[in-house]
Amino acid sequence: MKTTRLIIVAVGGQGNLLASKVLGQAALLSGVPVRMSEIHGMAQRGGVVESAIVFGDASSTIISDSEADVLVGFEPSETLRAMNKCNAGTTVITNLAPLPPFTVAIGRGTYPDLDQVQDLIKAKTRRLIAFDAVERATAAGNVMSVNIVLLGALIQTGILPIPKENLVEAIRTKTKKAFVDVNLKAFDLGFIAAANA
Amino acid sequence: MHKLLADSPGKKMLLLGNEAIARGAIEAGVAFATTYPGTPSSEISLNLFRVSHESDLYFEYSTNEKVALEVAAAAANSGLRTFCMMKHVGLNVAADPLMTLAYVGVKGGLVILTADDPSMFSSQNEQDNRYYGKLSGLAILEPSSVEEARQMTAEAFDLSEKLGEPVILRTTTRVNHSSAFVELGKITPRKIKGDFKKDPFNFVTVPAVSRRLHVRLLENWDKAQAMAETSTFNFTDGNGTWGIICNGVSYNYVSDAVKDLGIADKTRILRLGFSHPMPPNLIKAFLNACEKVLVAEEGEPVMEEAVKAFAQEAGLTLPIAGKGERLFSRLYEFDPAMVRRVMAGYFGVPHAPSQPPDLSDVPEIPQRPPNLCAGCSHRATYYAVKKAAEGRETIYPTDIGCYTLGFLPPLAMGDFLICMGSSVSTACGFSKATDKKVIAFIGDSTFFHSGLTGLVNAVYNNHNFTLVILDNGTTAMTGHQPNPGVDMSNLNLSGYGRISIEAVVRAIGVEHVTVIKPYKVNKSIEAVKAALDHKGVSVIISQEMCTLYARSLKKLNVRAFTVTDKCKNHRDCINQIGCPAFFLEGERVQINPNTCVGCAVCAQICPENAITPVKAKKAG
């Protein structure tokens, strides 16, 4: 089976580990081999959290620079920072709602202009899907569902060998019961956002 | 029921490598487990800790790795299957018992897990603990994947019992922190009560006994070597003449590269999972079938040097390479593209790697370093010490934990760190060797781990420094494990003792001891000033529960603060304490009410008293 390599970058607390778990479960339901890796520990104290998910026939659990087929960024400046994982054929999906790092507040860096971020990514990759996932998550009923909104967009692209219904089933079984309805709505809103992008 | 206790062989479960390892131990009928937490090993013990609450598994968080291994050594020599887990540098702490336990051996299976951390994602060095196999004479198993981690852990117990020796299970971060679907095996029932049969001429390592035991250890080495020759963990893929010898995660990258480069018909891979002692016959036969060989191993050239020596013994002169220019580095972890590139280069295979995008026009993106959490009590303590020490020339030895992050600006409190406990002992050295005021920082768990002996040294040798013990009531960095100072009733656990840090410090003979509440800024500054004025050893114990931990215990009473229009934009709040709850809106400072926990430290330092609690919404 063809290998598809997905990188998810997020800021600690944005729920990318849950997103990976849901994708893993959906892969199992789809009969697709999956391996993933993530960075724990000190990186989780407000730093960047990166997950690599490899679908298909591969033994590696990490993804080298310039070898991601898809990059999903939960925060726009982190999406841009992870561009080293992309190549000209990569599809990039990013949330456009910024979470400026603290270094900006103490004057040690300037947050990049969002239009420039999008122009740069567009120019260097196959396709960019960019929208405000926080807005969609809020509309779905929980600002914390940004991760599921972005999974909706990811599945819409059809790049992963995972049918929509299996991802929906994974949301039902792997996210907290109280949030399943909100998450299903969040998934749909992300799916629609990508379809309209 | 804990998911790792599921008695459903054949079931497939998405597991983290560390969960798979814990499951492997459970399947082997592990009865006794000890550890000191350390990333990337921590989730193994965290899972076994939870499992122990639901089963008759004995589990303990020991005070440090040396203690953990000694406790384990006794259990294993009472016939129990025992598991002792630690991060790679933890094995340095446990090296003393390790070396002689290898002489004494074990009765019940003892598996010692060392989690190495190539690239140092959360460690102070990237030492290659495979050398401990050679140093101690013990067998090493190294899994390549999450699935194999389960199987190897389970079989390591059998191997240990066959050899009558502890077995080292060596992982790296990318095994510990990768996830995959794992097929569960059968759970062997635990034997939870052991017995110790007196045999002092085999157990009491006086020189006359040890001279004999060393002979036995070398015999066991030979036995292990013979087993490595036929172990199923050592296998070959392919029948070509381009040889690749690899271990651990390198095997994954090599396998993928063979496929990607389309050279499966030309290559022959030897994967060594039972990697110490190395099997000479297997390796010589492999070399004989190859025209050239590449050794792919992260870290040091451990296998490469051994393979070259075996080739010499066999009179073989084929090219054998591993580390070197345009080959593999001794630095950092490997990745698939790098292994593919080195293989393509070494074997002369055409190769078109993916082209990275030109990022020269991307503006500098502001860094996002890890940071102390909003409202973290360490920040408050650092601020108080910094204020109290104003006007003095200082050296701040620090230690290992979340609080290490205090070395970053704007706090910039941390000047020297080498290992667990080094804050206290290096403070002894700096205070004698220089005329500067030395103020050392150590966390509660690290203090029990290896700060105590340094403090005894300081009092005994009459050193002159201030030690600040940052007591946040948990071992925060590794995931909120308990330690000897923790109130276990917070975890709904009974039957534990609790050691008062203050009582210990006083008992050691420290004359100037003060307990502070760091959120009370001015009082804390005054207390630290008094401690700094004291000649000799003074200790400040700064007590405030970790906010993340308090939140998880539902003990955090959040009352967010806000910046009112009294603010004159001095920005002391941001520039001096750097709490991540602050952000700038235009040129104005704001507080994120969802992040702020209401520690009120910023409110106390604002020169305009412009920071106040968010007013509760009026009813109706």
Side-chain angles (χ1 to χ4, degrees), chain A residues 3 5 10-12 20-29 32 34-48 50 52 54 57-67 75 77-78 80-88 99-113 116 120 123-125, chain B residues 12 14 16 39 43 121-122 144-147 173-174 177-181 249 251-253 255-256 259-260 333-338 340 353-373 401-402 404-405 409-410 476-480 548 571 574-575 577-584:
Chain A
T3 306
R5 297 181 173 91
V11 176
S20 308
K21 213 161 97 180
V22 169
L23 281 170
Q25 186 62 27
L28 179 73
L29 294 172
V32 174
V34 64
R35 307 186 161 276
M36 38 196 160
S37 65
E38 57 212 29
I39 290 301
H40 293 222
M42 207 168 235
Q44 285 183 315
R45 293 288 178 269
V48 187
E50 182 185 296
V54 183
D57 291 327
S59 305
S60 305
T61 66
I62 61 173
I63 297 169
S64 299
D65 284 359
S66 77
E67 297 203 338
E75 201 283 335
S77 72
E78 294 311 328
L80 186 60
R81 200 197 306 277
M83 282 297 291
N84 59 317
K85 292 289 179 190
C86 299
N87 58 55
L99 281 174
F102 186 72
T103 45
V104 171
I106 57 173
R108 295 174 60 239
T110 316
Y111 195 87
D113 175 74
Q116 191 194 5
L120 283 165
K124 295 172 199 302
T125 57
Chain B
K12 279 199 158 190
L14 182 63
L16 188 66
T39 312
E43 298 85 358
F121 292 101
S122 42
S144 292
S145 67
V146 174
E147 300 94 310
T173 305
R174 294 301 183 175
H177 286 168
S178 287
S179 303
F181 281 94
V249 291
Y251 172 63
N252 306 328
Y253 310 148
S255 303
D256 285 351
K259 231 182 303 165
D260 294 342
E333 70 168 359
F334 288 4
D335 67 80
M338 176 240 272
R340 197 189 309 132
S354 287
Q355 289 306 312
D358 173 11
L359 299 177
S360 57
D361 57 345
V362 171
E364 200 175 325
I365 303 162
Q367 291 302 306
R368 196 185 295 272
N371 193 354
L372 295 172
C373 303
C402 291
T404 316
L405 294 171
M477 180 92 263
T478 46
H480 300 112
L548 288 180
R571 296 198 187 172
I574 284 188
N575 294 333
I577 59 172
C579 173
F582 286 104
F583 64 99
L584 290 179

Side-chain angles (χ1 to χ4, degrees), chain B residues 23 34 64 116 238 259 305 431 453 483 509 518 591:
Chain B
R23 171 70 191 194
T34 65
N64 66 30
D116 289 16
K259 231 182 303 165
E305 286 172 359
S431 66
T453 43
N483 67 57
I591 294 173

Side-chain angles (χ1 to χ4, degrees), chain B residues 86-159:
Chain B
M86 58 196 73
K87 68 181 289 167
H88 62 328
V89 286
L91 198 52
N92 300 335
V93 179
D96 200 1
L98 178 77
M99 297 307 296
T100 308
L101 180 60
Y103 280 37
V104 167
V106 292
K107 305 294 179 207
L110 171 59
V111 178
I112 301 167
L113 180 130
T114 162
D116 289 16
D117 190 17
S119 282
M120 298 163 278
F121 292 101
S122 42
S123 304
Q124 64 269 42
N125 74 27
E126 57 176 345
Q127 68 184 50
D128 189 331
N129 272 11
R130 291 179 298 164
Y131 282 126
Y132 271 116
K134 211 162 195 175
L135 194 61
S136 64
L138 296 178
I140 297 184
L141 298 183
E142 292 183 75
S144 292
S145 67
V146 174
E147 300 94 310
E148 195 180 35
R150 179 204 62 83
Q151 185 200 357
M152 231 179 220
T153 307
E155 293 192 22
F157 287 92
D158 293 334
L159 177 62

